[in-house]
Amino acid sequence: MIRKPLRPLAEVLRARARGENPREIEKDNIRARHEAMKDGARLRAEGRLLILCIFFLGAFGAVGGRMAVLASSDPTEPKAARFGEQILSSRADIVDRKGRLLATNFETFSLYAQPQRMVAPKVAAERLAQIFPDLEITKLTGLFTGDRKFVWVKRNLSPEQKQAVHDIGEPGLQFGPREMRLYPNGAIAAHVLGGARYGREGVSSAEVIGVAGVERAFEDRLRSIDRGNEPLRLSIDLSVQAATEEILAGGMRLMQAKGASAVLMRVQTGEIVALASLPDFDPNQRPRPLTTGDQGDSPLFNRALQGVYELGSVFKIFTMAQGIDLGLVNAHTEIDTTGPLKSGGHKIRDYRDYGPSLSVRDVLVKSSNIGTARVAMEIGAHRQKAFLDQLGLLEATPVEMVEAKGAAPLLPKPWSETSMLTISYGHGMSASPVHLASAYAAMVNGGTAVTPTLLKQDAPQEGPRVISQQTSAVVRDMLRGVVVEGTASMADVPGYYVGGKTGTADKPKPQGGGYFEDKVIATFASVFPAHKPEYVLIVTLDEPRETTGEEERRTAGWTAVPVAAETIRRVAPLLGLRPGVERSLKSGVTLASD
């Protein structure tokens, strides 16, 4: 800034010309300069005051607003933040269809040591080994007397164990609060729930994550903050599940089987009410996977879902239903059963000689392989494959468990003429009991496909139609006939009018091809009540042997059927089904193709 001179030459010359005193010019300029300086100082002071006023108004406004919020909110007790709180993650409970607890969180403590603070590390090691027999004194002593500053001792403590450790009086032994996943029913529904473990861990908290079953499949749902403490409600019925597992375990022992499974499903909704696989495990103490041998022998292996087997004659109902629905046959159509039937160098035989012919109904009731294969020849390979695909038997089941994705059926490549014939009576392709349950549900529920689910449903599913209602009625009659007149006579539970189909399939050899002569998978696929089915029950036994008679028997009629019958006898009242009088079923309805 250029300041004006106090005695400008031009003004001095003009003043002298007018006869004025030039010094007055300097006094006027000095006075004007001082007044300008005062005006600038006053403006700067006013600006600073304005800024201070705005600042104080904002500060008082924020304090007043916060006070208003606090005054209108509910009072809560302040909580101090804890180390490790950033990895704490709440996990919702899991309940059955009636709200009964299947899985929950339990407050517990972890035990760790700070060796630098320990007074008597050797004594502490000895006392801890007495409290926890699985700990070794030598190893603990080495950890406590070494250079480490932190040592995990136990991830979870019971209240009694915590008190016992506290009584040691060692300042270097510290406790950290945490939550663990608890399954109050032990091994019941173990394969459905799967189990959980700790993920990220801190001294004062730990992250609980699912490792299998619905715990893993619904990981995000169970840890969702948006849902709060809303439990995950499954379709499983705890009482029915417990009864099913108890009967299945007893049947497995009586039949000397190496494994067993059962699936109970509602035919209209696809809800799985019970799913059991034996041998099982306690998810509170989940075992480690096998490192050697066949993983199928592990208690972690879910035979009902992961086990894909050639299921035998239980597949015959699909061939009969498709043939009837296409109008190729009806229940009374006579089928040539002379044999053996030759195809591609293979011979198809029946268990016994049924004579020159049987009706379609008797082909199923007496379980004729030759008769079923001849119906399949009328259907053709292309239509057979498309029909089985509609029933969900060619893809992995979409049930809500992580194990389901790896349990895809084993299919022949290519789907040849010989494959078509053997598949018609349950050989040449493998599927799981869950696959079979949903397919049978579609056969008897009026003819619409259902998707198996472990979540409680409020309404029936409206799946695509696979067979007509008339065909479904004929199927129900034929399945009832298998129990009344055929291979499943021991399944007739008074008052509940069971229908079903047996299946006994030789087990394939794991190497070299061919089948074992003395090892089978015995299956009984049942529906009840037969006149208006509400439930499908699938029971499978792995390598059963019934030895009460003079000869050893392995067929499903002697092994899987009695187990299924006892299961229905026990669980039907639990499901709210009352014993009733059987309604007459119309058989032999002739359907014409479009």
Side-chain angles (χ1 to χ4, degrees):
M1 178 180 177
I2 299 176
R3 302 179 67 179
K4 181 179 179 180
L6 296 177
R7 297 182 65 182
L9 179 61
E11 293 183 10
V12 169
L13 292 177
R14 285 196 294 271
R16 287 178 178 176
R18 292 192 298 268
E20 297 176 353
N21 187 358
R23 292 181 178 178
E24 294 297 327
I25 296 174
E26 181 178 1
K27 290 180 181 179
D28 292 339
N29 287 336
I30 290 173
R31 184 170 59 255
R33 182 179 292 182
H34 287 171
E35 289 177 354
M37 291 173 64
K38 289 179 181 178
D39 291 341
R42 185 176 64 255
L43 290 174
R44 286 194 295 274
E46 290 175 351
R48 292 191 185 108
L49 287 174
L50 179 62
I51 292 173
L52 285 174
C53 288
I54 294 173
F55 173 78
F56 280 111
L57 285 174
F60 280 115
V63 172
R66 180 59 178 167
M67 291 177 66
V69 171
L70 292 175
S72 61
S73 62
D74 296 328
T76 57
E77 182 179 353
K79 297 181 180 179
R82 298 178 296 178
F83 173 75
E85 192 170 7
Q86 67 274 12
I87 65 172
L88 271 176
S89 178
S90 61
R91 194 172 186 85
D93 292 344
I94 301 176
V95 298
D96 80 337
R97 63 186 304 108
K98 296 181 179 178
R100 292 171 292 194
L101 199 61
L102 298 175
T104 188
N105 292 335
F106 178 74
E107 292 185 1
T108 183
F109 289 88
S110 61
L111 174 62
Y112 61 95
Q114 295 178 322
Q116 72 274 15
R117 297 182 58 186
M118 298 186 78
V119 176
K122 294 182 179 180
V123 175
E126 293 175 357
R127 296 286 300 278
L128 287 174
Q130 295 174 0
I131 300 172
F132 307 104
D134 57 320
L135 299 180
E136 299 179 6
I137 297 177
T138 305
K139 184 177 180 179
L140 283 177
T141 303
L143 292 173
F144 292 166
T145 57
D147 298 331
R148 298 181 64 174
K149 296 182 179 180
F150 178 89
V151 175
W152 276 117
V153 180
K154 277 288 184 180
R155 256 60 173 186
N156 294 316
L157 299 178
S158 68
E160 295 80 8
Q161 290 172 334
K162 179 177 181 292
Q163 184 60 48
V165 173
H166 186 272
D167 292 340
I168 296 175
E170 173 58 65
L173 295 176
Q174 301 290 321
F175 303 102
R178 61 172 55 193
E179 287 187 342
M180 64 176 287
R181 198 62 163 168
L182 178 67
Y183 303 92
N185 305 297
I188 297 177
H191 287 93
V192 174
L193 298 171
R197 63 173 176 83
Y198 287 126
R200 295 180 299 163
E201 291 186 88
V203 172
S204 300
S205 61
E207 181 182 53
V208 180
I209 59 176
V211 296
V214 296
E215 287 276 27
R216 179 71 178 276
F218 290 98
E219 181 70 18
D220 294 338
R221 160 69 177 80
L222 291 169
R223 297 177 61 181
S224 174
I225 298 176
D226 297 336
R227 291 180 178 266
N229 295 322
E230 180 186 351
L232 175 66
R233 188 178 294 268
L234 301 184
S235 59
I236 295 294
D237 186 304
L238 181 60
S239 299
V240 175
Q241 177 76 29
T244 302
E245 291 186 13
E246 180 182 357
I247 298 165
L248 190 66
M252 179 178 162
R253 289 192 300 269
L254 287 174
M255 303 303 171
Q256 305 173 57
K258 65 178 291 187
S261 69
V263 180
L264 180 65
M265 178 185 292
R266 298 187 69 186
V267 301
Q268 298 294 342
T269 64
E271 294 171 284
I272 296 176
V273 182
L275 186 148
S277 174
L278 298 176
D280 59 5
F281 62 95
D282 186 346
N284 292 301
Q285 298 176 331
R286 184 179 169 86
R288 294 181 178 275
L290 295 180
T291 56
T292 59
D294 186 0
Q295 291 297 321
D297 294 331
S298 169
L300 297 177
F301 185 73
N302 188 342
R303 293 171 178 269
L305 182 63
Q306 294 173 286
V308 288
Y309 311 103
E310 292 186 13
L311 295 170
S313 296
V314 291
F315 263 54
K316 290 176 180 175
I317 192 62
F318 307 137
T319 305
M320 300 296 108
Q322 186 178 14
I324 293 171
D325 204 58
L326 291 173
L328 303 175
V329 294
N330 61 51
H332 296 296
T333 302
E334 289 293 318
I335 303 296
D336 181 9
T337 54
T338 57
L341 179 63
K342 298 180 181 179
S343 175
H346 298 275
K347 294 182 179 180
I348 298 173
R349 293 183 171 86
D350 281 333
Y351 183 71
R352 60 172 58 91
D353 184 8
Y354 296 118
S357 67
L358 289 173
S359 68
V360 167
R361 186 175 189 275
D362 286 341
V363 166
L364 185 74
V365 170
K366 298 181 183 296
S367 198
S368 169
N369 294 339
I370 295 173
T372 305
R374 290 196 187 279
V375 175
M377 292 171 66
E378 295 293 324
I379 296 172
H382 178 73
R383 288 195 292 191
Q384 180 196 54
K385 185 177 181 180
F387 183 66
L388 296 180
D389 189 28
Q390 283 183 293
L391 294 175
L393 291 171
L394 305 188
E395 300 289 343
T397 176
V399 70
E400 302 90 348
M401 295 177 69
V402 292
E403 296 86 349
K405 295 181 180 179
L410 303 179
L411 309 175
K413 295 180 181 180
W415 199 288
S416 65
E417 190 77 11
T418 301
S419 297
M420 174 196 71
L421 298 180
T422 59
I423 288 171
S424 72
Y425 56 86
H427 288 75
M429 70 167 284
S430 301
S432 72
V434 172
H435 281 102
L436 190 64
S438 58
Y440 260 69
M443 290 292 97
V444 300
N445 69 2
T448 57
V450 296
T451 301
T453 179
L454 281 165
L455 295 179
K456 187 177 184 299
Q457 305 296 306
D458 297 325
Q461 291 187 26
E462 296 182 1
R465 180 163 296 282
V466 292
I467 58 175
S468 68
Q469 293 186 4
Q470 294 90 339
T471 301
S472 182
V474 176
V475 166
R476 295 194 294 266
D477 173 50
M478 291 195 296
L479 291 175
R480 177 60 179 159
V482 174
V483 174
V484 176
E485 310 165 28
T487 57
S489 59
M490 284 189 280
D492 200 10
V493 181
Y496 293 106
Y497 310 106
V498 179
K501 184 69 188 78
T502 55
T504 306
D506 294 331
K507 292 185 67 174
K509 295 179 179 178
Q511 296 179 348
Y515 292 84
F516 290 106
E517 294 182 358
D518 59 349
K519 296 180 180 180
V520 302
I521 295 289
T523 305
F524 183 50
S526 57
V527 301
F528 61 98
H531 61 277
K532 188 178 181 182
E534 294 189 36
Y535 295 92
V536 166
L537 173 65
I538 309 296
V539 171
T540 63
L541 297 177
D542 189 355
E543 299 181 18
R545 296 187 303 119
E546 201 281 322
T547 57
T548 59
E550 295 180 358
E551 296 182 359
E552 185 174 273
R553 292 169 288 209
R554 298 184 177 89
T555 57
W558 287 96
T559 57
V561 168
V563 177
E566 181 61 24
T567 302
I568 294 171
R569 187 177 291 110
R570 284 275 300 276
V571 306
L574 297 175
L575 294 168
L577 296 178
R578 295 182 178 181
V581 178
E582 184 173 17
R583 302 175 186 175
S584 60
L585 295 175
K586 295 181 180 179
S587 62
V589 177
T590 303
L591 300 179
S593 60
D594 294 333

